[in-house]
Amino acid sequence: MATKPSLALIPSAYKASKVYSILPNNGDGDFTFSRGSEATRINKDGLIETVLDNIPRLDYSDGGCPSLLLEPQRTNLFENSSRVNEANTSNFAIGTGQTPTVLSENNLAPDGSLTACEWNFNVGSGVTTDDASLINKSYATTSGVDYTLSVYIYAELDNTKIYIRAAGSIYSLRTLNAGWNKVEVTDTATSTSSSWLIGLRQAFSGGIINSNITVKIWGLQVEEGSYVTSYIPTSGGAATRDNDFISGAGNANLFNSLDGTFFVQMASFLNTQTNSNGIELSDSSGQNRVTIQYDTTNNQIRAEIKVANVTEALFFTSTYDVTNFNKIAVTYKYNEAKLYINGNLISTDTNVNIFAEDTLTEVRSTIAGISSGAFNLQAKIKDLRVYDKALTDAELIELTSN
Amino acid sequence: MTNWGKIYNTTLWGIGVINNIFWGIVYYNDKVRKDYVDRVNSDGGVIESSMCIKVI
């Protein structure tokens, strides 16, 4: 498409507290980035890498070009994430099973360190649910709240079966490929104390599975929340990763408040949000804004234009899987606003008051200017653009088509 | 010499003429990319994936 954006972010460069936008090239479109803690990412070599406070994360976990990772605050409740050994877990056997044992502790891990522990699980000859070989650990929970277990497991053979559990009483079967696998499960706690669990047990949903396996385990994480987030290393205590936030890109001279297009290609981490969260082209107060957000309805993408805090256009659809990298564009001008997603016109509004000149001043990853975490965008951004005109239908189709 | 005058049919960044709207898109993107890399470098930033840059 020949039309040039006035602001373009294709995540590719950063430094502390800054994400560089490609356009404009004078820096007016650069984002201020904040995260008050260290965090990890999958780097371009496919390794888990720790980055310092306020360093933006270009994440390569989806392959190809990276995305800008914007995650909520989370805490890893397991206190020794890289040393999943006998000292830091509880281990037990039932029936013909044998208590799991660590065979070695200094194996190559996904972060390049020599900290992965090699475990043997053996349920013996028994074939009932009373035959098990398991490691676990209890932790404090809130009944009715979701917790997510994630862990890296290295299997020697394809089709290796293993059970995992985050909380509650349900065992979830996972099938491992040869090599490192990241497995995860979300369960709802049923009491004030729960146990995560990894191991073998017969005659559950998977029927009779492999009875004797040797695997390496590393990077165990237990977090409150209904989906897994990036690895949070711990050593001797729980650790918290702060939320990621971008703001401050642009100014009144860069944006056309009377006529424009706001485009984002991004993917959410889950289909149904715990809180509405989004990104906006806005004034400083959030009273005047063009917002693209994910909602608490399953797979709902919502776009809204608010002028002086009055809704002038409101579009929403639940047609698209929000965990995919959808291309979403909103146009605005007097008496015409449109929402396009993935090459399709979702809706048009022809009764729209528009902003006063020089109203819109900033792009930031929240809704209505709220900077505290709850409404901050929780997503991976591949591409973000602002155009200083409402693009034509043909241009919008081209821009948002995959 | 064959293909005289057909110098940049294909470049490292793609096909020379992409559509019927705008001639020189590849060169525009190349210029934007170069300016961007220069700016980031002069500001002490880290560039990881400049080949992903395609503005128009």
Side-chain angles (χ1 to χ4, degrees), chain B residues 1-55:
Chain B
M1 177 179 259
T2 58
N3 293 328
W4 175 254
K6 192 179 179 184
I7 303 172
Y8 291 125
N9 184 40
T10 300
T11 75
L12 182 61
W13 299 282
I15 307 301
V17 177
I18 291 179
N19 57 34
N20 60 1
I21 300 172
F22 189 82
W23 290 69
I25 284 176
V26 168
Y27 309 107
Y28 175 78
N29 280 325
D30 187 26
K31 174 70 163 54
V32 168
R33 184 184 299 110
K34 182 182 181 307
D35 291 347
Y36 175 68
V37 169
D38 289 347
R39 179 169 73 90
V40 172
N41 282 333
S42 68
D43 194 44
V46 177
I47 298 173
E48 288 197 357
S49 48
S50 63
M51 296 312 293
C52 295
I53 298 167
K54 179 175 174 289
V55 176

Side-chain angles (χ1 to χ4, degrees), chain A residues 3-60:
Chain A
T3 302
K4 301 169 190 172
S6 50
L7 184 152
L9 168 69
I10 299 171
S12 49
Y14 60 90
K15 72 174 189 179
S17 303
K18 182 186 283 193
V19 181
Y20 292 92
S21 288
I22 294 155
L23 291 177
N25 199 44
N26 63 4
D28 284 351
D30 294 345
F31 285 82
T32 299
F33 176 86
S34 65
R35 188 193 57 250
S37 72
E38 293 184 345
T40 65
R41 64 162 179 163
I42 305 298
N43 67 19
K44 58 189 172 188
D45 298 317
L47 293 173
I48 296 172
E49 176 186 357
T50 298
V51 301
L52 299 176
D53 301 20
N54 294 320
I55 297 290
R57 290 179 290 168
L58 301 190
D59 189 81
Y60 294 77

